Structures are given as C-alpha cells and as structure tokens.
Amino acid sequence: MRGFFIVMDNAPIHIPDMNDPVVLNQGYVPIYLHHYSPELSPIENIWAILKEKVKHNILKDAESLTTEIIESSEAVTLEHIRNIIQYSVNRFDSCWSKVFM
C-alpha cells in the first residue's frame, strides 16, 4: 500500500521522531494534523452531528441511547457526508504546507 498517507492528530503518543521511521518504512507518508483541527478529520464532524442530535433527547437506559444513536446516524445524509469529506480534502493541501487556519 505504498503511496498512502497515515494521518495522525496531536495525541501525545504521535511523536514524529518515533513514528515517522516506522510509517515511512512501511511505504506510507506521515501527516500530522494541526492542533485541534477537526475539519481535517471527517469522522470528528460526523460525531459532532450525532452528539448534537442525541443530546436533545431524554434517555431512559442504554437501549434508548442505542436507538437514538442509530436514528441520528440514519438522519445524516450521504450528501452531508460527501460535503464533510470534500471539505477535508480541500483543506489537505494547506495542512501539507503547514498553513494554519
């Protein structure tokens, strides 16, 4: 899978001096996100949408939480997901160039 990117956030465990040799040896290119950059991590945006939908409901038990999560995820349209991903793709070059928002 050479030529693919490994995208990492700024978690303390993601130390470039330690990670980069391993990642590069596997044929991947390491990319480190800017501090707090959820716009470059599409799943963060999806979680935000789901949390917003779920938190407005009264939950009685774990089963109702599960139901709310499923219903909330079904309410996120494919078009919305595509837009979120495209936004991340559009921001990628500035991340690669280390241009901060």
Side-chain angles (χ1 to χ4, degrees), residues 8-36:
M8 292 174 268
D9 61 14
N10 288 295
I13 196 169
H14 297 151
I15 302 166
D17 291 342
M18 293 176 66
N19 293 340
D20 287 1
V22 175
V23 171
L24 291 166
N25 188 49
Q26 294 298 315
Y28 299 109
V29 178
I31 301 287
Y32 294 89
L33 299 178
H34 300 138
H35 292 285
Y36 191 70

Side-chain angles (χ1 to χ4, degrees), residues 19-66:
N19 293 340
D20 287 1
V22 175
V23 171
L24 291 166
N25 188 49
Q26 294 298 315
Y28 299 109
V29 178
I31 301 287
Y32 294 89
L33 299 178
H34 300 138
H35 292 285
Y36 191 70
S37 53
E39 74 279 359
L40 296 174
S41 180
I43 193 63
E44 295 298 331
N45 292 295
I46 302 296
W47 290 134
I49 293 167
L50 294 179
K51 285 191 318 191
E52 186 64 30
K53 291 179 181 295
V54 169
K55 76 179 183 180
H56 292 294
N57 297 303
I58 298 171
L59 304 172
K60 300 176 186 130
D61 52 31
E63 187 176 326
S64 64
L65 173 60
T66 301

